[in-house]
Amino acid sequence: MAGNKQVVSPLPGVFYRKPSPEEEEFVTEGQKVKPGDVIGIVEVMKSFTEIKSEVEGIVSKFTVESEEVIDVGQVIAEIE
Amino acid sequence: MSYFNKVLIANRGEIARRIIGTCRKLGIKTVAVYSDADANAPFVKEADEAYFIGPAQAKKSYLDVESVMDAAKKSKAEAIHPGYGFLSENPDFVKACEDNDIVFIGPDYKTIDVMGRKIEARKYMRQAGVPIVPGWDGKLESADDALSIAEDLGYPLMLKASAGGGGIGMHVVHDEDELKKVFSSAKQRASSAFGDDAVFLERYIANARHIEVQVFGDHSGNAIHLFERECTIQRRNQKVVEESPSSFLNPELRKELCEKAVKGVKEIGYTNAGTMEFVVDDDTGEFYFLEMNTRLQVEHPVTEKVTGLDLVELQLKIAAGEELGIDQSEVRQKGYAIETRLYAEDPKTYFPSPGTISKLNLPKDEGRFDFAVEQGDAVTPFYDPMIGKIIAYGEDRAAGINSMERILDTIEVEGITTNLQLLKNIVKDCDFKIGKYTTSYLEEKQEAGAAFSS
């Protein structure tokens, strides 16, 4: 899909779409994001790293579920 | 004598291997439980039996009470050793063990529940005559409540989550503005992280040392201490170096501290292994109860080295209903032991470093090594970054530190980033050698020169 920007994880670990189980998701599909907006967090050995969008656009879809195990370089979401 | 025929270990990594070691010595069969990520881990191979309990995420495997209980029932284990972390201080898990007629190797669930709530624990210890950090244990419903109480107590203060622990859920507040700023978010975070939004205030001790007392109680009302461990050298409230004896305590202070700890244990009718943690004011030498850990502690090997006792064996013995069989006067603190924790992380940023250990060389003739991994093993991103503990011993502190220096200089680890160089820098540091340090030691050293961490 031309024009789409993939967000990839720089680390292996567990991906979360919410800051904590009781809170709202950082972003939902169809939502607009700017560079620097947090779209999720990755837990690696009890440390949490924010995954931020590098571009401006609309989050067209998440390619991994929340709490799913992810690898380095795995695509997390696509931004149009 | 073997206390049980078969014990399940509801844990992983180095502590699972450690527990398997003592069980084997006593002729007890062991059952490991493992997640997807640990299928090839050394502890799984070393146990007599192993049961798969779920995916890599701890929540769905090592923290899942039902999965662990299923494995225990299937394997017909008579007892469960919880290790540390995971389910070790979870009252619901202990209750589940009781309901299924499986012995939980630790205290009863009521004690775990009470000690897990800091406000309650403080009340119990105060009643027992154990000094607690001056503070306020009442309900802090609103920021206004907190502000007026803080005014009476005087700043700086520590705002803590009652259900927190191990350095999580704490905020230092220096004035009204800071307290106002963090109060509601602290309450909210406590609620989501621990399921309990109770917070309390206690005096912040700026120049603090962290000294803890190892205790044991049996089901016949006997209680003893196995002396202290000093764990002052920490990074982000996580211990890095542990020693016994502490270089800070003189014999009188040591006696007072250990006796107070035993008094607290007797008051609550504590059974099995526990650790009473104290904060000691470096300026005045006053000590205050901080919290009690109702389980085996990561740093228990230093106590084993100086007392010659096997703490896991004592745990099994008490869990089996036997009396301690050791009189306080028989427990000796001989020589000096030190433990350093090898973390798979960048020592400057603390950024974790999962990967495969391509090379791991440990000295053969000196030191004790409680390691989760061996050469060629993977350090997965799912659990604690601690990959091993290095324990050295000497007839006195200087000799013990020298031994640790030699050991650390010999160790080779490749393939992942570790804090090995930081450990070397600490044990070679003059301030460390003369015992001049507080809990801010690492921060201060890093501020003085970035090279300390690399």
Side-chain angles (χ1 to χ4, degrees), chain B residues 14 340-343 369-373 385-390:
Chain B
E14 69 87 17
T340 53
R341 297 190 190 188
L342 192 65
Y343 285 106
F369 305 93
D370 288 18
F371 271 59
V373 288
M386 191 185 80
I387 54 170
K389 308 183 300 202
I390 301 146

Side-chain angles (χ1 to χ4, degrees), chain A residues 11-12 22 44-46 67 69, chain B residues 57 59 192 351 381 383-384:
Chain A
L11 324 141
E22 285 80 30
V44 196
M45 293 176 173
K46 297 181 180 172
E67 298 189 23
V69 171
Chain B
Q57 299 93 313
K59 212 169 97 182
S192 68
F351 200 77
Y383 313 107
D384 196 274

Side-chain angles (χ1 to χ4, degrees), chain A residues 11-14 16 20-23 43-47 49 66-70, chain B residues 56-57 59-60 191-193 344 350-354 379-385:
Chain A
L11 324 141
V14 179
Y16 299 93
S20 74
E22 285 80 30
E23 289 174 75
E43 180 183 9
V44 196
M45 293 176 173
K46 297 181 180 172
S47 295
T49 301
S66 200
E67 298 189 23
E68 196 175 311
V69 171
I70 55 165
Chain B
Q57 299 93 313
K59 212 169 97 182
K60 298 172 184 169
S191 171
S192 68
Y350 303 128
F351 200 77
S353 172
V379 179
T380 71
F382 306 109
Y383 313 107
D384 196 274

Side-chain angles (χ1 to χ4, degrees), chain B residues 388-403:
Chain B
K389 308 183 300 202
I390 301 146
I391 303 104
Y393 180 81
E395 60 183 11
D396 56 25
R397 190 165 185 270
I401 293 174
N402 277 340
S403 170

Side-chain angles (χ1 to χ4, degrees), chain B residues 91 94-95 98 107-117 124:
Chain B
V94 183
K95 191 83 175 49
E98 273 180 31
D108 60 83
Y109 72 90
K110 276 186 195 138
T111 306
I112 293 178
D113 182 43
V114 167
M115 290 299 124
R117 286 177 285 136
Y124 274 90

Side-chain angles (χ1 to χ4, degrees), chain B residues 197-270:
Chain B
D197 76 344
V199 291
F200 66 103
L201 279 166
E202 65 180 29
R203 185 195 291 165
Y204 173 63
I205 295 158
N207 296 317
R209 298 181 71 123
H210 178 114
I211 302 178
E212 59 189 31
V213 179
Q214 175 70 54
V215 291
F216 269 95
D218 67 18
H219 294 280
S220 307
N222 303 302
I224 56 169
H225 68 77
L226 270 56
F227 295 95
E228 83 283 8
R229 292 182 289 261
E230 170 146 12
C231 318
T232 295
I233 311 267
Q234 308 187 351
R235 58 113 174 111
R236 290 184 180 170
N237 294 311
Q238 292 290 309
K239 295 160 187 170
V240 178
V241 179
E242 297 108 341
E243 315 167 77
S244 184
S246 156
S247 62
F248 183 80
L249 299 181
N250 60 39
E252 292 77 42
L253 199 52
R254 171 171 298 113
K255 189 164 180 278
E256 202 189 327
L257 183 73
C258 293
E259 283 177 1
K260 281 272 160 53
V262 172
K263 221 173 151 231
V265 168
K266 283 199 168 145
E267 173 76 20
I268 57 173
Y270 192 83

